[in-house]
Amino acid sequence: MPLPTVILPGYLESAIAYRQLEESLKQLGFPTVTVPLRRRDWISTLGGRPVTPILGKLDRTVKQILLECNAAQINLIGHSAGGWISRIYLGEKPYLARSELKSSLWKAHPLVATLITLGTPHISQERWTRSTLDFVNNNYPGAFYKNVRYVCVAGKTIFGARRRGSWLAYSSYQLTCGTGNTWGDGITPIATAHLEGAENLVIEGVRHSPRSPGIWYGSPEPLKAWVRYLI
């Protein structure tokens, strides 16, 4: 039987947006659950504040599905910021972000067989997220845990440029990697969506968010490119 799968939503996103992806994975035989986040659950993380509340909900979801499925491991899918938050969850270093009173620790890498990140900005120049991302990349660079299979999926859809229709992409790419004139999914540039040592994929034509017009990473056709990495 395939391992159960947990989906961690992207920044400021709720579990509802991932319902189609969850159902698609269930139809393929993967017991799947999305961390039950609401948009308001992210409010406490705004302005660079710690993502500990999200990690707590992730941990409770993982423990619950492991118990329900009588399994020892899961597959973990992190969309956007959910990807680098998942890397904190795997780790063995106390996570103490700005304004936190005490550090938190999960050491969850033995529980995760495969981590798939979808459109995740693994680096950023943006000052609100940089402190936490620096924590991640300084402590867990690249595909850090050898017992975990890392699969990083990027989209090649919009080339950032200072013209109508490409301004948002240009600004987002520049804020993320320092260069606006590059390819990405409209929000995350390819250059930041991959990790050294991971199995890095590029899918053409996918947009960043499940709420984006057209297709995104979890739509039926793009799903075929990365679902084969689930165990």
Side-chain angles (χ1 to χ4, degrees):
M1 181 177 176
L3 292 180
T5 294
V6 174
I7 301 168
L8 181 59
Y11 197 59
L12 298 178
E13 195 51 272
S14 65
I16 294 172
Y18 299 83
R19 188 170 293 164
Q20 179 193 6
L21 173 57
E22 185 179 318
E23 290 304 315
S24 295
L25 291 172
K26 286 178 179 177
Q27 289 173 15
L28 292 170
F30 297 97
T32 305
V33 64
T34 303
V35 179
L37 293 173
R38 300 159 298 179
R39 284 187 161 182
R40 64 177 177 267
D41 291 328
W42 293 95
I43 292 174
S44 63
T45 73
L46 294 175
R49 286 178 285 181
V51 295
T52 311
I54 307 303
L55 285 157
K57 286 182 176 289
L58 169 61
D59 186 55
R60 289 191 290 274
T61 304
V62 169
K63 299 293 176 53
Q64 182 177 351
I65 198 169
L66 285 173
L67 185 63
E68 290 176 356
C69 295
N70 192 27
Q73 289 187 306
I74 63 156
N75 298 310
L76 182 54
I77 299 170
H79 170 238
S80 195
W84 55 257
I85 293 173
S86 295
R87 292 168 63 201
I88 299 175
Y89 181 60
L90 299 181
E92 297 180 317
K93 299 289 180 67
Y95 169 60
L96 180 59
R98 182 167 60 87
S99 80
E100 243 184 357
L101 297 177
K102 63 179 182 178
S103 61
S104 301
L105 187 60
W106 288 272
K107 299 183 180 180
H109 66 92
L111 303 179
V112 178
T114 301
L115 170 62
I116 297 181
T117 66
L118 305 175
T120 292
H122 289 292
I123 62 171
S124 179
Q125 307 297 316
E126 203 272 326
R127 67 191 183 101
W128 298 119
T129 58
R130 189 165 181 176
S131 61
T132 299
L133 271 169
D134 283 350
F135 170 85
V136 176
N137 290 315
N138 290 336
N139 288 294
Y140 316 114
F144 187 77
Y145 288 105
K146 302 309 175 188
N147 56 308
V148 178
R149 186 181 199 180
Y150 292 74
V151 181
C152 299
V153 188
K156 185 179 180 182
T157 309
I158 299 175
F159 188 84
R162 294 179 177 178
R163 62 172 181 265
R164 186 177 180 181
S166 302
W167 262 109
L168 174 60
Y170 179 91
S171 300
S172 183
Y173 300 164
Q174 187 173 52
L175 191 62
T176 305
C177 70
T179 301
N181 298 119
T182 189
W183 282 99
D185 62 14
I187 298 294
T188 301
I190 295 172
T192 69
H194 289 163
L195 288 173
E196 184 176 353
E199 299 185 55
N200 294 312
L201 311 179
V202 176
I203 304 177
E204 296 196 10
V206 295
R207 291 181 177 266
H208 181 75
S209 169
R211 297 182 187 272
S212 301
I215 64 172
W216 81 291
Y217 295 98
S219 297
E221 198 59 33
L223 176 62
K224 296 175 185 177
W226 57 264
V227 72
R228 57 194 174 93
Y229 293 97
L230 296 179
I231 298 174

